[in-house]
Structure formats: structure tokens, C-alpha cells
Amino acid sequence: MSILEGAFLGLIQGLAEFLPISSSGHLNLLHALFGLQIEHQLLFNILLHVATLAAVGIVFWKDWVEMILHPIKNRTLLLLFIASMPALAAKILFDDALDYVEVHNTYLGVCFLLTGAMLWLTQILSKRRAAAKTEKTTVGAGEALAMGCLQAVGMLPGVSRSGSTIFGGVCAGLERSVVAKFSFMMSAPAIVAGMLSEGKDALESGLSFGNDLAAILVGMLVAFVAGYLSIRFFMRLISRVSLNGFALYVTALGILVIVLQLTGVMSDAPAVETVQGFIRQLAAIFG
């Protein structure tokens, strides 16, 4: 893996992890179209998660310190535990099915479309509740559970974790900025769980950096910076800016994926080995 590839993948991970566009869906799409193969992919995934986790920790460091020092008075830790339960249950019950969809692209286009639909509905519901002044400003157990259930849906590649959890919170009646903050904090337990799961696999296969150390470090740095900036950007704009732009983007991406699958350019699992091969297939279809 080159340093440029490491930086590019770090950028995708950092931005798409927190913006409602699905990081896993974008990475799957890149693998499928360009046959991107990384020698130490599992280890690289873990370290990118470390970088994005660090971004969450730094942005909300005051909240983490407060909940750790006052776990009884501050209910956030308990609410995060409640919100994490549905995804944990889904992982235990549907582990094999989730492992399959993580590396196959059968439902990738449909999942992007699902993300688009949730974002459209989020915009409509939040606008109506804001006009009626019925939005809640405090996350309770019921709201945390609703967001947790949608986080379980967000485990599917192409379904944005942040987009689905924000949708769940808005459906539960919460104000968008409150939902966004709790959604980003919910990502920390999810990222830690992913790191532990992938770390176990990495230990079993043997940890090795090979010649990719420089590229991995650059990817981590880029993922951290991109993740930090995307959280700050989204938190600042979530209450003022429409989600329809994100919805339009992922909807168009979902349609594109389905078209590529129907025309044979993109297969269920990564098949196109090079950018040149992808371009040749497009030329054959449209030329």
C-alpha cells in the first residue's frame, strides 16, 4: 500500500464515519470498483478505528470526563450502555449473516437507498416538530434504545450509522443537535467493539506491518484529522442545514451501484482488479 492510498482511505474513513453517508459502504464500493487490495487490511482497519475513536474522545472530552467522574449523577454512561445493546444482540444473533454482507455487495445499492430515505424522513420529521415546538432536548432511556435499534441497522454496509441513529432519535422526538451529539458519542462503544472483534482476528492471523508502516501511520493521521473536522462541521451545521443534500448524494450513489450491478460492471464481491479494467468496462457499455 502506498502512502497516497493510505491517506486516501484514511480520508474516506474519517469523513464518512461521522457524516451520514456510510464509511463501510464507500470502502466496499472502492474495493469492488478498483480491486483495491491491502496486504495488512485487518490491522489497517483497526488502526483507522483507533484514529476515529481518538477524534470522538477529543471533541467530547469534557463529556467523557464528566460521565466517568460522576457515573451516578451523569446518566450518559448508562444511556450509552442501553444504546449499545441492540447492536450487540444483532451481532450475536446474526454474526454469520453480517460477516457475509460486510464482504459482499449484493445489497449495497439498496442500503445506500435506505440511508437516503432515512435522511429524507429525518429532515421532514424534524422540520415539522420544530415548527410545532414539540422537540425534546434530553435523551432518555427510550430515546437511547430507539437510536440503538437503528444503530443495529447501521451495521449493514451502505447504511450510515450516524444517519440511522439520527433518524432513530428524531423519530423518538429529539431535537437534531441533541441527537447528533449523542449519536457521535454512541460511536465510541461501537468503534471499540469493532476494534476488539477485528483485533481478535488480527491476533489469530498474526500482526505485521510489513512495508506498510508509513502508509498506515499517514492513513491514521488523515483519518483522525478528517474525523475531528467532520464531527465539528456536522455539529455546527446540523440544526441549520438541511439533510437533503446528503440524502440526494447517497440516493444517487445507491442508484449508480444498482446500475453497475445490473450491467455487470460491479459484481457481488470485488471483481474489477484495476482502474483501467473498470474504465474499459465502462467504454464497452457506453461506447
Side-chain angles (χ1 to χ4, degrees):
M1 175 173 60
S2 69
I3 290 178
L4 184 60
E5 288 175 334
F8 178 67
L9 291 173
L11 179 65
I12 296 296
Q13 174 68 23
L15 289 177
E17 178 71 33
F18 301 111
L19 296 180
I21 56 176
S22 178
S23 60
S24 59
H26 278 74
L27 292 175
N28 275 27
L29 185 58
L30 288 172
H31 281 283
L33 293 182
F34 303 120
L36 189 59
Q37 298 296 324
I38 301 173
E39 185 179 356
H40 307 288
Q41 179 69 61
L42 194 56
L43 179 61
F44 188 49
N45 287 346
I46 295 169
L47 295 177
L48 287 184
H49 285 148
V50 171
T52 50
L53 181 63
V56 175
I58 288 178
V59 172
F60 300 112
W61 71 270
K62 291 182 180 179
D63 297 274
W64 294 115
V65 170
E66 176 66 20
M67 75 174 71
I68 291 172
L69 293 179
H70 306 96
I72 305 300
K73 181 181 177 181
N74 190 319
R75 298 180 62 218
T76 307
L77 199 59
L78 173 62
L79 293 173
L80 290 175
F81 176 78
I82 293 171
S84 301
M85 289 299 99
L88 177 61
K91 181 65 176 175
I92 293 172
L93 294 173
F94 307 109
D95 188 38
D96 291 340
L98 287 171
D99 286 344
Y100 179 86
V101 297
E102 282 177 7
V103 295
H104 291 78
N105 302 309
T106 308
Y107 307 108
L108 186 60
V110 174
C111 287
F112 275 127
L113 293 179
L114 178 58
T115 296
M118 287 192 290
L119 294 176
W120 289 113
L121 289 172
T122 298
Q123 180 64 28
I124 293 170
L125 288 173
S126 62
K127 192 172 181 179
R128 288 180 179 175
R129 290 214 171 97
K133 296 183 180 180
T134 58
E135 293 176 305
K136 305 174 190 175
T137 57
T138 303
V139 180
E143 291 80 13
L145 185 60
M147 293 178 70
C149 290
L150 269 296
Q151 179 170 249
V153 178
M155 295 169 70
L156 298 171
V159 176
S160 166
R161 192 208 62 81
S162 61
S164 61
T165 52
I166 289 172
F167 173 64
V170 168
C171 285
L174 290 169
E175 195 271 328
R176 278 195 344 198
S177 62
V178 175
V179 172
K181 181 177 180 179
F182 192 73
S183 170
F184 289 141
M185 296 186 74
M186 280 174 64
S187 71
I191 291 172
V192 170
M195 286 167 50
L196 293 175
S197 176
E198 292 177 346
K200 176 177 176 293
D201 294 337
L203 286 172
E204 290 175 352
S205 61
L207 293 174
S208 173
F209 290 100
N211 298 319
D212 291 339
L213 179 60
I216 288 173
L217 291 176
V218 169
M220 289 179 66
L221 178 61
V222 173
F224 168 74
V225 173
Y228 177 87
L229 293 177
S230 64
I231 294 173
R232 288 292 190 190
F233 169 79
F234 201 61
M235 284 297 299
R236 182 171 296 180
L237 298 181
I238 182 65
S239 295
R240 303 196 300 262
V241 174
S242 171
L243 295 175
N244 289 344
F246 293 111
L248 181 61
Y249 170 73
V250 291
T251 299
L253 197 57
I255 293 172
L256 175 62
V257 168
I258 291 172
V259 169
L260 292 177
Q261 289 173 328
L262 292 176
T263 54
V265 173
M266 181 175 166
S267 63
D268 177 47
V272 181
E273 295 183 356
T274 64
V275 176
Q276 291 78 11
F278 173 57
I279 293 173
R280 284 197 299 271
Q281 291 200 37
L282 285 182
I285 292 169
F286 298 107

